[in-house]
Amino acid sequence: MSDADRQTDSEASSPQIESFGHIVAAFASREAATVDEIMQLAERLSPLLLGTERQFAAGSGAVSNEINAQQTSPVAPALPIENAVKQDKVFCLCCGRGFTMLKRHLKAEHGLTEDQYRARFGLSDDFPLVAPSYSERKAMYAKRIGLGKYEREKSEYGQPSNP
């Protein structure tokens, strides 16, 4: 291949490289985008936009080793664990955002179950993942509508009678 052919190939792929950069940058500008999600998007887009000759650098040994080291090393929380639970909010230790309940956020944004999250940060099994005020409000509502009362009359067959 001559120098002129190589120069033409690089010029032809310039719009693809620019598109690749714009797409990844737009995704990365989202507040909830994590580094892992950005890297996954870049890896998926590179064969589509850059072709098979040019692959995103995440496949290179240095970047892959760095990513693997980050995933296996102990994770430092985004904020101190003692500040993670307030009366009206529970803060995610992965990203530092506050929520009433963490379960859906952990699965959707970080791909973690409650047990994996607790294990990642060394939390006890009874560490709250729901804001205390929300738990209290739900418990009061349940008591008000009569849940948890076992004062039912039994019929002659030992089954609770219908009122």
Side-chain angles (χ1 to χ4, degrees), residues 94-112:
C94 297
C95 62
R97 293 173 54 196
F99 298 91
T100 304
M101 296 179 286
L102 277 180
K103 184 176 181 176
R104 182 179 294 158
H105 167 74
L106 291 174
K107 189 65 174 171
E109 296 296 325
H110 305 294
L112 297 172

Side-chain angles (χ1 to χ4, degrees), residues 25-104:
F27 183 80
S29 69
R30 293 178 36 225
E31 181 180 333
T34 64
V35 174
D36 291 335
E37 292 172 335
I38 296 167
M39 297 297 284
Q40 288 172 0
L41 175 67
E43 288 173 356
R44 284 185 294 181
L45 284 178
S46 66
L48 299 172
L49 293 177
L50 303 179
T52 55
E53 303 89 34
R54 294 181 169 216
Q55 291 289 318
F56 181 66
S60 71
V63 176
S64 295
N65 292 340
E66 184 179 330
I67 292 170
N68 291 336
Q70 287 176 356
Q71 291 175 349
T72 57
S73 64
V75 179
L79 64 145
I81 293 174
E82 54 272 2
N83 296 340
V85 180
K86 302 290 183 190
Q87 186 63 25
D88 294 329
K89 287 192 181 216
V90 178
F91 292 88
C92 176
L93 295 173
C94 297
C95 62
R97 293 173 54 196
F99 298 91
T100 304
M101 296 179 286
L102 277 180
K103 184 176 181 176
R104 182 179 294 158

Side-chain angles (χ1 to χ4, degrees), residues 3 8 23 25 68 79 117 151:
D3 289 336
T8 306
I23 293 168
N68 291 336
L79 64 145
Y117 174 76
E151 301 173 7

Side-chain angles (χ1 to χ4, degrees), residues 5-21:
D5 291 336
R6 285 188 193 130
Q7 193 173 25
T8 306
D9 285 345
S10 66
E11 288 173 7
S13 64
S14 181
Q16 288 89 357
I17 293 171
E18 194 171 317
S19 296
F20 175 81

Side-chain angles (χ1 to χ4, degrees), residues 9 24 29 47 51 59 82 84 89 98 107 115 118 133 149 154:
D9 285 345
V24 174
S29 69
E82 54 272 2
K89 287 192 181 216
K107 189 65 174 171
D115 293 333
R118 286 184 171 116
S133 64
K149 292 182 181 177
K154 295 201 176 196

